[in-house]
Amino acid sequence: MAAGDSGMPDQRRTSAVSVVRIRGRALPDGEWIDLYADGDRWTTDPVQNAELVAEGWVLPGLVDAHTHPGAEAPGQPLDEELLRVDLGRHAEHGVTLIRAPGLAGEPPSWFGTDPDLPRAVHAGPWIAQHGQFFADWGRRTTHADLPEVAATQAARTGWAKVIADWLPGDAPLPVDVLRAVVAAVHAVGGRVAVHTQHGAGGAAAVAAGVDSVEHGMHLDPALLHRMAEQGTALTPTLSVINGASQRLRDTADSPRRRWALGGAAAHGPLVAAAAEAGVTLLAGTDSRPHGRVADEVRALVAAGVRPHVALGAASWTARDYLGLPGLVPGAPADAVVYPDDPRQHLDRLDRPGAVVLRGRLVRAAAG
């Protein structure tokens, strides 16, 4: 909370503070910290003219690890103005880092570097087989060309996103193709995220050793220990799958409806089992509106994931997985501050008292 405040007032955007200082109990360990922003790096050494802007429970920012900002609906092109609005909503709710495993177009030069908007990791456009995925989004390629296409993308941005399966009845990518993709991408120092919502696609992704499984609906729980052993993360997008299943309950019966409802019913228990097995969980919201990563944390907890693990999936765990350290000297100067332990007050999680991004106070308590 802002120094001197005692509640959770409305938020306002601010950049008037010249040098930011924060202090409080830092998660994940709960140790006391007193940090100064020296440019875009935290330091414990006092910095001249620093202003204490927030004190309370401190996280190294929230992370939405599966978000597709900048397009109004599937298949529509990237809109730069909308992209800025979407990212602004993320920042308002404490998100200082996003991963976009799939974008509707080439992002502008300011993407991930604008001082008021979250840092960003992205995988460029989705890569799919012919005849699958949303029309007018992503690239379609043959099995033979897919490894080279994915490696070229990952060499540019660090990630490639591959659609391993799509609608019921569609053929999933063969495991040997995914293995070749992983080998090619890893050879250029990149990582592979794979969309899968079918058992066969999930099994192929795990067998191929992909870096992250996105959604993972219908994933065989017997594969969870292997995922943990090889470091394959799971981004379950549980809140959006739960929401979609609620809407489907009022629709007519069909094979696709039964597939979706069956997968959704099993997804929460699968995610809880993944956490118990030691799989790295990443919190992602997947769909509009943006700035709802707190909903994903609450969905994880409702499914049986411990609050500490669920919050880590949207903060320090995800940040570490994506290559950024937490609240330590020399780390990028990002933080989100709450007046109380957010693990005990999940209802307040999307109303931070202060947000610091790149050493600047971009969100603070009003009044």
Side-chain angles (χ1 to χ4, degrees):
M1 113 184 119
D5 288 343
S6 58
M8 291 294 295
D10 293 337
Q11 306 294 298
R12 64 180 173 85
R13 185 175 297 276
T14 177
S15 58
V17 178
S18 57
V19 180
V20 165
R21 178 189 178 192
I22 58 171
R23 66 186 181 194
R25 298 289 178 187
L27 292 176
D29 300 324
E31 296 181 354
W32 181 265
I33 60 165
D34 192 346
L35 294 176
Y36 300 78
D38 185 4
D40 186 18
R41 289 292 179 267
W42 290 124
T43 179
T44 54
D45 297 328
V47 177
Q48 188 176 8
N49 298 322
E51 179 180 338
L52 180 62
V53 299
E55 182 174 355
W57 286 80
V58 189
L59 283 68
L62 298 179
V63 179
D64 192 328
H66 189 123
T67 179
H68 307 296
E72 188 64 42
Q76 294 192 2
L78 190 73
D79 182 309
E80 185 170 335
E81 181 178 350
L82 182 61
L83 177 63
R84 191 177 290 279
V85 171
D86 290 344
L87 293 172
R89 287 186 58 84
H90 278 299
E92 287 171 7
H93 292 89
V95 173
T96 61
L97 172 65
I98 68 156
R99 181 184 60 153
L103 283 173
E106 188 67 27
S109 60
W110 55 260
F111 181 68
T113 62
D114 186 294
D116 289 328
L117 300 175
R119 303 176 195 271
V121 174
H122 76 92
W126 301 260
I127 306 170
Q129 303 178 84
H130 290 286
Q132 296 187 13
F133 199 53
F134 294 112
D136 300 322
W137 263 12
R139 302 171 183 163
R140 306 301 186 277
T141 183
T142 65
H143 291 175
D145 291 340
L146 202 156
E148 181 180 355
V149 171
T152 299
Q153 174 61 53
R156 288 199 311 113
T157 64
W159 281 86
K161 170 72 175 292
V162 175
I163 307 299
D165 52 48
W166 194 232
L167 299 178
D170 287 347
L173 274 174
V175 65
D176 61 329
V177 174
L178 274 177
R179 284 197 179 106
V181 168
V182 170
V185 169
H186 286 181
V188 298
R191 301 167 93 177
V192 182
V194 166
H195 166 106
T196 172
Q197 295 189 94
H198 297 274
V206 175
V210 305
D211 297 285
S212 70
V213 168
E214 308 301 307
H215 314 299
M217 197 170 72
H218 290 287
L219 186 68
D220 185 350
L223 298 172
L224 295 174
H225 287 287
R226 179 168 180 179
M227 290 176 66
E229 290 171 358
Q230 67 191 23
T232 297
L234 173 64
T235 316
T237 62
L238 184 57
S239 56
V240 73
I241 288 175
N242 288 345
S245 70
Q246 290 298 319
R247 293 188 295 273
L248 276 173
R249 293 184 191 282
D250 297 327
T251 62
D253 183 46
S254 68
R256 184 173 177 181
R257 178 182 183 273
R258 290 193 294 272
W259 160 78
L261 290 179
H267 203 47
L270 171 76
V271 175
E276 288 300 315
V279 175
T280 296
L281 294 183
L282 305 175
T285 58
D286 188 33
S287 64
R288 310 185 67 83
H290 295 279
R292 300 178 299 107
V293 75
D295 290 346
E296 182 69 7
V297 174
R298 290 187 283 262
L300 294 173
V301 172
V305 178
R306 292 187 296 115
H308 184 85
V309 175
L311 187 53
S315 185
W316 56 87
T317 301
R319 196 173 174 95
D320 179 68
Y321 180 84
L322 294 173
L324 290 181
L327 296 163
V328 295
D334 299 339
V336 59
V337 187
Y338 300 91
D340 308 300
D341 185 345
R343 297 169 298 182
Q344 305 299 322
H345 300 277
L346 295 175
D347 58 320
R348 305 182 197 172
L349 189 59
D350 45 2
R351 291 179 285 127
V355 180
V356 178
L357 181 58
R358 298 182 182 87
R360 301 174 66 250
L361 184 65
V362 298
R363 206 71 183 169

